[in-house]
């Protein structure tokens, strides 16, 4: 599922729905969203009945034109790994030897 964006007319914000499809979650029990928009603090995505994970955030449009982010997939045995969004707007090299996903917030 691509990133879903809804630009708000009443505020300088865009409502962004981040989603990780069941196949992309690879059996994870929990999916966390980490990004520049909240100083890389984890936000837990809600597991839907379909097995997809989702979270919706309002991101500011009056600052940077984009934000970097990634997902942390946590499995039942406690093992976790970081993954990019398959439907990101772009990818940029990150500081830990892997790319980060990019969400653009400019109209």
């Amino acid at each position: 599922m691509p990133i879903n964006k809804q630009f708000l007319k009443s505020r300088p914000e865009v409502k962004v729905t981040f989603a990780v499809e069941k196949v992309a979650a690879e059996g994870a029990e929990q999916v966390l969203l980490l990004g520049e928009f909240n100083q890389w603090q984890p936000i837990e995505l809600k597991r839907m009945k379909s097995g997809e994970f989702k979270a919706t955030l309002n991101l500011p449009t009056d600052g940077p034109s984009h934000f970097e982010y990634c997902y942390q997939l946590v499995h039942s045995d406690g093992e976790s790994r970081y993954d990019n969004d398959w439907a990101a707007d772009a990818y940029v090299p990150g500081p830990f030897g892997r790319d980060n996903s990019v969400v653009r917030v400019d109209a």
Side-chain angles (χ1 to χ4, degrees), residues 5 8 13 16 32 37 41 58 60-61 76 80 82 86 95 102:
K5 300 178 196 174
L8 305 178
E13 294 180 343
V16 181
L32 303 171
F37 39 78
Q41 295 302 307
N58 286 2
T61 58
S76 59
S80 69
Y82 294 93
W86 293 3
V102 171

Side-chain angles (χ1 to χ4, degrees), residues 17-31:
T17 300
F18 295 90
V20 177
E21 293 181 357
K22 182 178 181 177
V23 66
E26 299 176 349
E29 291 292 315
Q30 182 182 42
V31 176

Side-chain angles (χ1 to χ4, degrees), residues 29-68:
E29 291 292 315
Q30 182 182 42
V31 176
L32 303 171
L33 171 65
L34 299 96
E36 289 181 312
F37 39 78
N38 71 339
Q39 292 72 48
W40 298 96
Q41 295 302 307
I43 297 169
E44 185 171 0
L45 277 68
K46 181 178 179 181
R47 182 194 296 250
M48 311 307 283
K49 288 182 182 180
S50 65
E52 180 179 48
F53 292 83
K54 285 186 176 184
T56 300
L57 303 175
N58 286 2
L59 301 181
T61 58
D62 57 353
S65 64
H66 67 277
F67 294 99
E68 294 181 33

Side-chain angles (χ1 to χ4, degrees), residues 72-107:
Q72 183 179 7
L73 309 176
V74 182
H75 294 272
S76 59
D77 61 2
E79 190 171 320
S80 69
R81 71 175 186 83
Y82 294 93
D83 199 7
N84 279 323
D85 189 334
W86 293 3
D89 292 332
Y91 304 95
V92 295
F96 301 108
R98 62 171 183 74
D99 289 345
N100 284 331
S101 300
V102 171
V103 59
R104 295 192 191 287
V105 294
D106 49 358

